Amino acid sequence: MCSSLSGVCSKMASRYTDNIFSLQFIFWFGLVFVIMFGYAIIWQQILKRMPLTVAYANKPVTLIWGIIWGQLIFDEKITWNMLLGACIIFAGIYFVTSGDREENGGKRV
């Protein structure tokens, strides 16, 4: 969710690129750095506590958040291609994480 929110802030900052010294641009662009700093700390904690396969396989959830934020904040249209792409990615996540369990005798690692 953090990564997708930084994308939202980047898109908001892009509205003010005609004057990069404006307060609005500095606010939104600065918020990107704050969010990504928090994300880096959280990500390090996730890597300490989760198997790498599971942690990295779940990063594409950002796509779903991106679709949601795009529709709610920017009134973007959700297309069938977007939904199909998200389903394919989540199917890939399922196959990667379920394959990890099979290799370890059915035990979750």
Side-chain angles (χ1 to χ4, degrees):
M1 189 160 83
C2 292
S3 183
S4 66
L5 282 175
S6 74
V8 169
C9 292
S10 294
K11 192 166 184 174
M12 294 298 282
S14 72
R15 294 178 174 183
Y16 305 102
T17 55
D18 55 332
N19 181 8
I20 61 170
F21 297 109
S22 70
L23 188 58
Q24 295 92 344
F25 179 82
I26 292 169
F27 170 77
W28 289 110
F29 198 65
L31 199 52
V32 171
F33 284 102
V34 170
I35 290 170
M36 293 310 288
F37 178 77
Y39 172 71
I41 292 170
I42 292 168
W43 182 243
Q44 293 304 311
Q45 296 306 309
I46 288 171
L47 291 177
K48 280 183 183 179
R49 292 172 173 79
M50 269 188 164
L52 288 177
T53 309
V54 175
Y56 277 100
N58 284 294
K59 280 187 77 143
V61 172
T62 301
L63 294 172
I64 297 299
W65 284 110
I67 291 170
I68 292 169
W69 299 139
Q71 204 286 316
L72 292 176
I73 298 171
F74 301 108
D75 201 30
E76 294 176 352
K77 196 172 210 169
I78 298 175
T79 65
W80 286 107
N81 287 343
M82 296 166 92
L83 296 176
L84 178 64
C87 288
I88 290 169
I89 288 169
F90 280 104
I93 291 170
Y94 172 77
F95 289 127
V96 166
T97 56
S98 65
D100 188 42
R101 280 188 223 132
E102 289 174 9
E103 290 173 7
N104 294 303
K107 295 179 187 174
R108 188 174 180 128
V109 235

